[in-house]
Amino acid sequence: MTDRVGIVAAAQTRYESSKPQLNNGELLFEVVEKVLSETGLKFEDQAEEEEDLFIDSIVSSSEDYWAGRTISDMSLHLELGAFAMHATKVCADGAQAVYHGVISILSGKHDVVLVAAHRKESETIGSVIENAGFDPIYLRPLGIDFLGAAALQAQRYMYKYCLGQEQFAKVVVKNLKNAKNNPYAQRAMDITVADVLSSQVIADPIKVLDTKPVSDGACAMILAKEEKAKKLTDRPIWITGIGNCYDAHYLGDRDLADCESLVNAAQRAYKMAGITDARREIDVAEIADEYSYQELLWSEGLGFCDRGKGGELIDSGATEMSGDLPINPSGGLLSGVPSGVAGMSRVSEAFLQLRGEAGNRQIEGAKTGLAQGVTGACGQSQCVIILSNR
Amino acid sequence: MAERIAVIGVGQTEFKSKNIELSQSELVNTAVRRALENAELSIKDIDAVIISNMELFEGLYLADTVLSEGTGSYLKSGMKVQSGGTSGSTCAVTAFEHAATGLFSAVLAIGYEKQDEGSSDASLRSISEDTFFDINTGARGAANVISELALDMLNRGAVTEEQIAKLRVKQSENASRNPHAHLRKRLAVDDVLNSRYIIPPLRLWHICPTSVGACAMILAPESRAKKISPKQAWVLDWVSIHGGMQPLVGYQGVALGKGPLGPMWAFGVENSSAKLYKRNGITNPRKELDVVEVYDMSTWNEAEWYERMGLCEKNGAGKLIDEGATTLSGDIPVNPSGGVTSTNAIGASAMQRIAEAAIQIRDEGGERQVPNVKTALAVTAGGDSYSSAVLLKSSLA
């Protein structure tokens, strides 16, 4: 990479099961205001002096379906500050907005980019929207949603590699315990494997505690090219690698127990960041555990363990706070983060870890972090971001 | 910029009001195959796929993932973007940025809309400042703000209804030469003047159709572009502006174009092109540009944009039309493609402006080709004054 991109500020709302007191714009304003006041940045049209540092591009992530209106970012210009300047909307997980922001800076066109994501899952019925995310002729009439698809993936994963539901449950126990240290988390508790296993089955083998809850929240961050990042903060966190990738759409066209798109996305990001042994070189990972089994499956795709060894990874305790590769010290998505915001909140958490600002969930001495974002059913579209504090 | 970039291939479907023979995936795939053929590449040469459409218009959530068979994105990088009417240019700009990083050898940009599978009108009614008060008026959509713009042009004497009819005839003549255009019927001035009112003074023939179709473009960085084809359209520079103007119905500052930002979209068109000119030392666009493609949601908009893009003085649009300056044989041809008034598949429309500019530079315009195009400008408009302006040239010198 010729030029490095730094994250100079990041903010998240507290995630809650519903936020009826705030509309979409107000939700977004909370986090945008935080990163603006922290950096003192202005927008392009407000810059007075030539040497003023200003935001020259905005990449937001939202989706018309969830917003319940067309051109979902159009009503958010006041909150985003998007007046007379470049603004783009990514219709995908928030990690893709970060990816876009990095691309914008590496293209040489933009220097300082505001990226933001918000979603209020509480205002609609997610399964109806997710059903519209399938091929309309063959798949949609089945009534399938992302949960149903995930159950198929979990079944296939268990069958192919002989994993047990207890191993999935251990992910929930670990992450909800970690969430107790995360002030933004919606759901945090001490539970046992037995509690998870005895919770209500919603799509076999997935039980209610195996899934992330319905959640409202927002996240924003400021990215800047190296020279400006250093002016904006004493402690920028560098994005050293990015990678994204699509898999096939039809579930029958892929082996759901493998995750080819994640393998490819990760390899692209690792290559860019010069990482050859992810297990050794990554100090902390924040990944997309929308369903508990996915933390294990994605760990395989990210190269944290061999294929089919995700169960052994959680059994070994390596991904606990005290392990050699802590995964989701924040509590992950299982602790409650809206889809769409999920990937950006992962990047935010990795940022806090590498800055040493993660409070009680801090992994001591973390130098290299990984964040993952997922879009579509069974992780069809994957995005991996590598961060470093050196 | 890490790398200079070029358009190395363009592909479009035929555009029509219904296309029941093709699924969304097949529609997109048709444009992709044509773009690859045009660039003399195979899908294996593409590293990243960027796509845009209006997600509610055909009732498809995450179109980029669902249509991956058609787009050819399997195991490739990419994302979906959207920004209303400018979705296609936002997609192109995202693809430009991808190509300029030098991380990809070739980037595919796709814009499409299949409006026969849903209701764009119903979706557009969900545009609102807030979900409680404004949405219930149901008075959203483009026709009312276009009629305000048109009335303003009439009131200030910029154009007459006859001149607008003449401009519509020009649009239809260009479209009749473009095999991809939707409305290809050659119109006479009387056809336009006698067509029924939508919202006065906006008439049926003034307004863009509801189209189905897809457009695809292939971008490559300099290091790679030269090896592929001798006919590059170099993308010299681009500027995107978000005007951030969201007028409330009945808000007097906006009605009749009297607000500080002018009528809908005008702020974006004016500022994106002005910024692009400034950055590239263009002082007399009418002289220095060989062809212009602009997002004309109606005939009135094309006339207004002449003024906003600096092709003529304020209130000079009528005169420019009478001179025939913007016809194919004029000194500053505008919309040789026939423009959006002839073809409007929303997610594709803004990309088609850039694609047509590239076609003209590459001398592939067939019957609608403007001779000897060296410099082309594409300007798009949509959403609440989003606009992108793109400058293309036949050589880097």
Side-chain angles (χ1 to χ4, degrees):
Chain A
M1 207 182 338
T2 50
D3 207 358
R4 289 198 297 179
V5 175
I7 305 176
V8 299
Q12 299 175 73
T13 60
R14 187 166 194 277
Y15 301 106
E16 292 175 280
S17 59
S18 79
K19 288 178 181 278
Q21 72 281 17
L22 300 176
N23 69 22
N24 280 320
E26 290 161 337
L27 184 62
L28 199 52
F29 184 71
E30 183 182 328
V31 286
V32 171
E33 172 72 0
K34 264 190 210 161
V35 293
L36 288 181
S37 59
E38 197 179 319
T39 56
L41 274 166
K42 294 176 171 181
F43 290 98
E44 190 173 4
D45 64 304
Q46 301 164 322
E48 285 150 10
E49 310 284 333
E50 204 157 294
E51 61 273 16
D52 270 5
L53 289 169
F54 57 84
I55 293 166
D56 60 12
S57 177
I58 298 166
V59 183
S60 62
S61 158
S62 62
E63 238 286 341
D64 292 0
Y65 267 94
W66 288 93
R69 56 157 293 158
T70 191
I71 325 177
S72 55
D73 59 333
M74 192 164 137
S75 62
L76 304 171
H77 63 97
L78 292 173
E79 293 80 3
L80 285 165
F83 178 71
M85 59 180 294
H86 188 201
T88 301
K89 182 186 99 176
V90 171
C91 320
D93 174 70
Q96 290 275 49
V98 176
Y99 184 103
H100 191 308
V102 173
I103 289 282
S104 296
I105 293 171
L106 293 181
S107 77
K109 273 288 173 189
H110 300 286
D111 292 349
V112 183
V113 182
L114 167 66
V115 296
H118 75 284
R119 186 165 289 175
K120 294 188 81 178
E121 292 183 324
S122 66
E123 289 189 352
T124 186
I125 301 165
S127 60
V128 176
I129 294 174
E130 289 165 1
N131 182 249
F134 285 97
D135 157 76
I137 297 166
Y138 297 106
L139 295 175
R140 217 183 276 176
L142 301 171
I144 193 167
D145 59 6
F146 289 4
L147 168 67
L152 293 172
Q153 186 169 40
Q155 291 283 7
R156 171 66 187 151
Y157 183 43
M158 287 165 68
Y159 174 81
K160 184 169 181 183
Y161 294 121
C162 297
L163 270 81
Q165 295 183 34
E166 297 76 13
Q167 288 166 315
F168 301 163
K170 281 183 184 172
V171 173
V172 185
V173 173
K174 166 178 78 72
N175 289 0
L176 293 189
K177 188 174 85 188
N178 289 354
K180 287 165 65 185
N181 295 321
N182 179 2
Y184 303 117
Q186 169 181 330
R187 183 169 77 172
M189 53 184 124
D190 283 315
I191 48 167
T192 63
V193 166
D195 293 333
V196 180
L197 290 176
S198 60
S199 68
Q200 188 193 349
V201 178
I202 48 174
D204 188 37
I206 296 171
K207 291 161 291 295
V208 72
L209 283 170
D210 285 312
T211 68
K212 80 163 205 60
V214 167
S215 182
D216 288 1
C219 181
M221 47 182 67
I222 306 269
L223 312 181
K225 75 172 190 181
E226 183 158 9
E227 155 211 347
K228 297 207 169 165
K230 284 177 176 164
K231 284 186 192 161
L232 283 162
T233 172
D234 298 335
R235 290 171 301 148
I237 298 302
W238 305 106
I239 295 181
T240 54
I242 54 170
N244 61 10
C245 188
Y246 287 109
D247 211 323
H249 175 64
Y250 294 93
L251 301 177
D253 286 353
R254 356 176 196 159
D255 187 334
L256 293 175
D258 297 322
C259 37
E260 286 311 306
S261 52
L262 180 57
V263 171
N264 278 273
Q267 285 311 317
R268 283 165 200 166
Y270 292 156
K271 192 179 162 200
M272 199 163 155
I275 287 174
T276 50
D277 184 345
R279 172 71 189 263
R280 279 170 186 275
E281 293 175 62
I282 304 287
D283 300 320
V284 59
E286 282 285 343
I287 72 178
D289 57 330
E290 196 162 334
Y291 304 98
S292 57
Y293 77 89
Q294 288 184 338
E295 183 172 305
L296 307 182
L297 180 56
W298 302 157
S299 294
E300 297 174 19
L302 291 164
F304 295 159
C305 61
D306 290 336
R307 293 270 177 109
K309 303 294 182 191
E312 288 175 29
L313 185 70
I314 185 84
D315 288 343
S316 74
T319 59
E320 299 273 348
M321 288 290 286
S322 55
D324 67 327
L325 175 51
I327 294 182
N328 289 332
S330 67
L333 308 186
L334 287 169
S335 72
V337 180
S339 61
V341 179
M344 198 181 290
S345 74
R346 301 306 83 212
V347 181
S348 247
E349 281 295 324
F351 168 83
L352 291 175
Q353 289 288 350
L354 300 187
R355 266 202 165 184
E357 292 176 356
N360 291 335
R361 61 194 186 285
Q362 182 66 46
I363 304 300
E364 286 310 317
K367 294 182 179 65
T368 305
L370 178 145
Q372 178 210 9
V374 167
T375 308
C378 299
Q380 191 194 340
S381 167
Q382 296 273 2
C383 183
V384 176
I385 312 268
I386 311 292
L387 304 92
S388 166
N389 59 10
R390 286 173 296 183
Chain B
M1 194 189 318
E3 286 234 40
R4 296 189 287 191
I5 59 163
V7 179
I8 61 165
V10 174
Q12 297 176 77
T13 63
E14 286 70 36
F15 286 73
K16 34 185 147 178
S17 56
K18 284 193 169 60
N19 195 336
I20 55 170
E21 297 84 19
L22 300 181
S23 69
Q24 292 180 42
S25 193
E26 290 164 333
L27 183 79
V28 161
N29 191 255
T30 306
V32 169
R33 282 176 189 276
R34 289 179 182 178
L36 288 169
E37 200 177 309
N38 184 241
E40 295 174 33
L41 292 178
S42 92
I43 192 71
K44 288 180 187 151
D45 299 309
I46 304 292
D47 295 336
V49 181
I50 319 295
I51 187 168
S52 66
N53 76 319
M54 304 288 294
E55 42 260 42
L56 293 174
F57 284 17
E58 42 273 291
L60 194 60
Y61 174 52
L62 305 176
D64 57 332
T65 61
V66 179
L67 304 182
S68 65
E69 274 190 333
T71 63
S73 64
Y74 177 60
L75 297 188
K76 300 188 193 307
S77 290
M79 60 179 63
K80 175 177 180 295
V81 295
Q82 191 248 77
S83 62
T86 51
S87 291
S89 57
T90 295
C91 175
V93 163
T94 301
F96 294 166
E97 290 184 353
H98 274 74
T101 62
L103 290 169
F104 308 92
S105 59
V107 181
L108 175 64
I110 307 164
Y112 89 101
E113 212 71 73
K114 200 156 186 309
Q115 299 189 77
D116 56 351
E117 289 190 19
S119 170
S120 48
D121 193 48
S123 306
L124 277 168
R125 277 163 197 257
S126 68
I127 295 183
S128 61
E129 181 77 26
D130 65 77
T131 31
F132 298 105
F133 305 106
D134 199 25
I135 202 165
N136 300 316
T137 64
R140 285 289 157 177
N144 56 347
V145 287
I146 294 172
S147 70
E148 287 171 0
L149 175 144
L151 260 184
D152 176 54
M153 290 199 89
L154 282 179
N155 287 344
R156 62 186 166 86
V159 286
T160 62
E161 289 203 61
E162 288 72 23
Q163 285 165 332
I164 289 296
K166 215 193 259 186
L167 180 56
R168 183 65 187 88
V169 171
K170 187 267 305 184
Q171 294 173 329
S172 79
E173 277 173 3
N174 291 0
S176 75
R177 293 160 179 264
N178 178 1
H180 302 287
H182 178 183
L183 303 179
R184 300 186 64 203
K185 181 184 164 179
R186 276 181 190 247
L187 298 172
V189 168
D190 281 347
D191 294 336
V192 183
L193 285 175
N194 295 330
S195 67
R196 71 181 167 89
Y197 278 128
I198 302 295
I199 303 174
L202 191 63
R203 292 178 187 274
L204 182 65
W205 275 122
H206 294 157
I207 209 161
C208 58
T210 302
S211 313
V212 168
C215 177
M217 279 167 48
I218 298 170
L219 287 307
E222 186 177 8
S223 55
R224 169 110 184 165
K226 278 183 181 162
K227 287 181 203 146
I228 293 168
S229 156
K231 290 199 298 182
Q232 269 76 258
W234 294 99
V235 184
L236 243 69
D237 197 8
W238 61 89
V239 170
S240 294
I241 290 274
H242 183 298
M245 180 181 69
Q246 168 77 17
L248 288 161
V249 169
Y251 170 52
Q252 59 166 10
V254 173
L256 306 187
K258 298 296 186 213
L261 298 177
M264 191 77 163
W265 310 298
F267 180 89
V269 171
E270 185 169 326
N271 285 278
S272 66
S273 49
K275 197 168 169 186
L276 187 79
Y277 296 157
K278 196 177 165 198
R279 222 152 68 178
N280 292 278
I282 293 173
T283 50
N284 185 345
R286 184 166 171 184
K287 266 213 171 123
E288 292 170 58
L289 302 171
D290 298 319
V291 65
V292 175
E293 272 283 332
V294 68
Y295 195 109
D296 52 320
M297 41 289 274
S298 80
T299 313
W300 298 88
N301 289 84
E302 182 172 331
E304 172 87 30
W305 302 160
Y306 290 167
E307 299 178 5
R308 300 281 172 175
M309 294 188 297
L311 301 184
C312 62
E313 308 218 310
K314 178 97 176 162
N315 294 338
K319 188 165 163 262
L320 199 70
I321 294 165
D322 283 340
E323 289 169 3
T326 60
T327 62
L328 276 182
S329 55
D331 67 281
I332 179 76
V334 177
N335 288 352
S337 65
V340 179
T341 309
S342 306
T343 311
N344 188 26
I346 322 236
S349 292
M351 186 181 293
Q352 283 181 293
R353 309 286 65 78
I354 303 166
E356 182 67 22
I359 287 170
Q360 293 288 336
I361 295 254
R362 286 157 60 91
D363 197 23
E364 292 179 341
E367 284 181 48
R368 65 186 191 282
Q369 179 65 44
V370 175
N372 204 20
V373 174
K374 293 200 165 58
T375 307
L377 170 73
V379 178
T380 67
D384 49 345
S385 283
Y386 292 99
S387 174
S388 290
V390 183
L391 185 67
L392 295 101
K393 288 203 177 212
S394 58
S395 74
L396 278 170

